[in-house]
Amino acid sequence: MTNARSIAQALPCQRRVAVQWVAAGILLPTWAGGAQAQMALSGAINHAGWFRALSQRMAKAYCQQYLQVLPEAARDVLGHARKRVQQGSGELARGLQSGQWPAEVARQLDEVQKQFARLDQLTAAPMSRAALAAVSEQSDRTLLVAQAVTESIEKMARVASARLVNLAGRQRMLSQRLAKNYFLVAAKADTKLVHAQLAADAADFRQAMQTLTAAPVSTPAIRGELELAAPQWVFFEAALRRPADEQGLSAVATTSERLLSVMDRLTGLYEAALREVL
């Protein structure tokens, strides 16, 4: 009788929790239940979205080392990126190991790991101009599969506001790919695609900032971080326009890091906003 009463008392509480999760836009799939339920999808979007930035961040750091632009900092960045890949993989693997991800998402996560393993090998190889091109190409292959799994997880949330986590997270990637491509041009390892991508990425970043600023999901913290992001983007964009001399290279390296930091905090704030009951 005691157990039955306890269960009966718990049900309203469980219903309240479920309503709160739904109101916050965090919908766990029907196949993820009980104590082994996977992480909230807003967090999964953030983790998967980080893979996009990390693919470009590893390549950026490799290019920096080749060019001897703040080389010690570049080594630290590359090491940190590798650890971040492992951490993100561990978080997302919880659902994979317990069979809670759909088959397609599980396949995509497995492919992400394979592509990162290849990228890790290439960034550990001796540096040369040919190696720069190989690292950049592999980083873009890794980015493609990371983008695919991020979009798959976003669709699972089935709420429009989940797009803001994805969009803000993509800004992290753009900050790193812009810097990587600038370094490729400086190393004379660029192609027509690199130049086109530099222009397109800058336009994408500006458009996304406008979208985020106009989005209805906002808190004082989000608005404050958006205000911080605006001048950081101005500084970074100005650095990208500088000649690829010693000062220009250093400026791109440092401003890309500051912009990444701001956009990462902003992504975390959008993720947290989805968890709140409005």
Side-chain angles (χ1 to χ4, degrees):
M1 180 67 69
T2 300
N3 288 340
R5 184 180 299 112
S6 298
I7 293 172
Q9 292 172 343
L11 286 175
C13 178
Q14 290 174 348
R15 283 195 293 271
R16 284 196 299 273
V17 171
V19 169
Q20 289 172 348
W21 281 70
V22 170
I26 305 169
L27 304 181
L28 289 177
T30 56
W31 35 258
Q36 299 300 317
Q38 59 141 43
M39 72 173 70
L41 290 182
S42 57
I45 295 168
N46 194 353
H47 280 292
W50 245 115
F51 287 145
R52 297 174 299 194
L54 292 169
S55 70
Q56 302 305 298
R57 188 163 169 74
M58 290 175 70
K60 182 194 85 166
Y62 188 82
C63 290
Q64 261 188 254
Q65 288 181 287
Y66 174 81
L67 292 166
Q68 287 296 290
V69 179
L70 305 175
E72 292 185 6
R75 281 193 293 271
D76 290 343
V77 165
L78 187 54
H80 180 268
R82 287 183 173 124
K83 290 180 181 178
R84 194 70 188 255
V85 170
Q86 293 174 352
Q87 292 170 354
S89 298
E91 291 292 336
L92 293 170
R94 294 178 186 177
L96 186 63
Q97 292 168 353
S98 57
Q100 293 172 344
W101 287 117
E104 178 60 15
V105 174
R107 184 196 66 76
Q108 290 171 332
L109 286 171
D110 183 59
E111 185 61 26
V112 167
Q113 299 313 305
K114 291 178 181 178
Q115 295 299 329
F116 265 116
R118 178 60 177 154
L119 182 58
D120 191 53
Q121 290 175 348
L122 290 172
T123 53
M127 295 179 182
S128 67
R129 192 173 297 169
L132 288 183
V135 166
S136 179
E137 290 171 4
Q138 181 58 33
S139 74
D140 289 341
R141 282 191 288 269
T142 307
L143 169 60
L144 286 175
V145 294
Q147 176 67 21
V149 73
T150 305
E151 290 177 347
S152 293
I153 296 173
E154 180 196 338
K155 290 176 183 176
M156 287 162 54
R158 296 191 296 275
V159 288
S161 50
R163 176 173 175 264
L164 297 177
V165 181
N166 188 351
L167 187 62
R170 187 172 182 270
Q171 298 289 75
R172 296 177 298 201
M173 180 278 291
L174 290 176
S175 74
Q176 300 304 285
R177 188 164 69 179
L178 281 161
K180 178 200 78 172
N181 284 338
Y182 179 92
F183 291 146
L184 286 175
V185 173
K188 295 181 172 54
D190 54 309
T191 63
K192 290 182 180 179
L193 175 61
V194 167
H195 287 273
Q197 200 170 65
L198 273 166
D201 283 351
D204 280 356
F205 194 97
R206 287 191 292 268
Q207 180 59 53
M209 291 306 297
Q210 293 175 7
T211 300
L212 292 171
T213 301
V217 175
S218 184
T219 65
I222 287 175
R223 290 192 293 273
E225 211 63 49
L226 283 169
E227 290 175 0
L228 287 175
Q232 291 302 326
W233 166 245
V234 171
F235 297 147
F236 182 46
E237 190 174 28
L240 291 169
R241 291 179 177 144
R242 295 184 62 157
D245 54 19
E246 183 177 353
Q247 290 184 334
L249 291 166
S250 294
V252 167
T254 55
T255 54
S256 68
E257 288 297 295
R258 288 197 289 268
L259 184 59
L260 172 65
S261 180
V262 173
M263 295 315 304
D264 187 38
R265 291 196 300 269
L266 186 61
T267 305
L269 289 171
Y270 279 115
E271 178 193 338
L274 294 183
R275 299 175 184 271
E276 294 177 1
V277 179
L278 303 179

